[in-house]
Amino acid sequence: MQKKPAKPAKTPVHGPKHSNQVRIIGGAWKRTPLPVLEALGLRPTPDRVRETVFNWINHLRDGYWADAQVLDLFAGSGALGFEAASRGAQCVTMVDSHGPVVRQLEVIKDKLKADNVQLLRGDALAVAQGAAARGQRYDLVFLDPPYQQDFLSRTLPLCAKLMKEGGLVYAESGLSLIMEEGVETPDWLAPWDIIRADKAGMVYYHLLKLKPGAA
C-alpha cells in the first residue's frame, strides 16, 4: 500500500504555544495560578524568566516595594502586574486593549482582593501619552508587547517621560536590544542604559534605566 506523503510541519505564527496558565512566583500570592486566554498575540512571560527579572528588580530596590508605582502597558495574562502587586507594590496600573483579556484580569483581581491593582481597557500608547501629560511618574514600567508590531520603538520614547528618578523599564522582545559592534543604536533606544539582559528560548528580556539627563 502506498504511503501518504507526510504533511509539512506547520510554522508557528506567534512562537511556541503557551501553557493555559502561569503562576505567581513570590509575595503574598505565591504559587497562585493565573489562567491564560487564547487571545491573538497573547504570550505570557514564562515563570522562570519572571523569576529572574524579579530577582533583578528586587536586588535593585533592596527588596522594598511598599512605595512602588508600577505601570504594565501590555498586561495580557497579568503575570507581570500581579507579580509586582503580590510583592507589595503600592499601586499597579494594568492596561490592555482586548475586552475579554481585561474581563479575565478583573476576575483575577476580585479573587485575589488585589486593592493595589487598577485595570484600564485602552490603547497602550494613548494611556502612556495621557499619563505623561498629567505628570504621572512610575518606578517601574513593564513592556511586553506583541513582538511583530514594533511597539518598543514607539513606547520607549513615551516611557522616558513617565519615569521617576532611578525608575526601571522591563522590555521583552523577539530580538536583542543590545546592538552588535559597529551597529548604530537607534534614536528610540539611545537614551537608555541596558543594565541587565538575558535570553530564554525565543525571548530576549532586558532591564533598562534612563541615562542621566536623558529625561
Side-chain angles (χ1 to χ4, degrees):
M1 181 185 244
Q2 189 175 7
K3 290 184 179 179
K4 291 181 180 178
K7 290 183 179 178
K10 290 183 178 178
T11 303
V13 176
H14 298 293
K17 181 177 173 61
H18 60 67
S19 168
N20 62 357
Q21 70 175 32
V22 292
R23 65 187 174 90
I24 295 175
I25 302 297
W29 308 319
K30 186 176 180 179
R31 298 190 184 90
T32 299
L34 302 174
V36 178
L37 292 180
E38 290 287 347
L40 180 66
L42 194 60
R43 183 208 62 258
T45 303
D47 292 349
R48 64 194 179 101
V49 171
R50 269 183 297 115
E51 184 168 19
T52 298
V53 169
F54 276 85
N55 284 341
W56 290 346
I57 297 169
N58 215 43
H59 175 72
L60 292 166
R61 293 188 60 84
D62 293 325
Y64 187 72
W65 287 85
D67 63 350
Q69 300 286 322
V70 181
L71 177 63
D72 186 357
L73 277 175
F74 302 89
S77 69
L80 291 165
F82 283 119
E83 186 75 46
S86 177
R87 293 166 187 258
Q90 185 178 62
C91 180
V92 179
T93 301
M94 299 166 68
V95 182
D96 204 280
S97 60
H98 298 288
V101 170
V102 175
R103 287 192 289 275
Q104 179 70 75
L105 295 174
E106 287 169 346
V107 170
I108 297 168
K109 175 184 172 177
D110 290 344
K111 177 185 173 183
L112 295 174
K113 297 180 172 59
D115 295 332
N116 54 343
V117 170
Q118 177 188 14
L119 300 174
L120 296 176
R121 181 182 177 185
D123 176 77
L125 297 171
V127 170
Q129 286 169 339
R134 293 191 302 273
Q136 214 148 351
R137 298 291 180 268
Y138 297 93
D139 300 283
L140 180 60
V141 176
F142 294 124
L143 299 179
D144 181 15
Y147 290 168
Q148 297 86 359
Q149 299 176 43
D150 201 27
F151 277 115
L152 287 183
S153 66
R154 292 184 280 166
T155 49
L156 272 176
L158 294 172
C159 287
K161 303 170 185 176
L162 288 172
M163 307 311 298
K164 291 185 183 179
E165 186 175 349
L168 300 168
V169 170
Y170 170 73
E172 194 172 308
S173 65
L175 296 171
S176 176
L177 298 184
I178 299 174
M179 298 296 109
E180 294 179 7
E181 190 174 348
V183 177
E184 189 175 351
T185 301
D187 290 344
W188 56 268
L189 187 57
W192 299 89
D193 280 325
I194 301 172
I195 57 174
R196 298 280 192 283
D198 209 338
K199 182 191 178 200
M202 298 169 67
V203 177
Y204 291 85
Y205 53 104
H206 318 76
L207 211 54
L208 312 176
K209 184 185 282 191
L210 271 177
K211 293 176 181 176

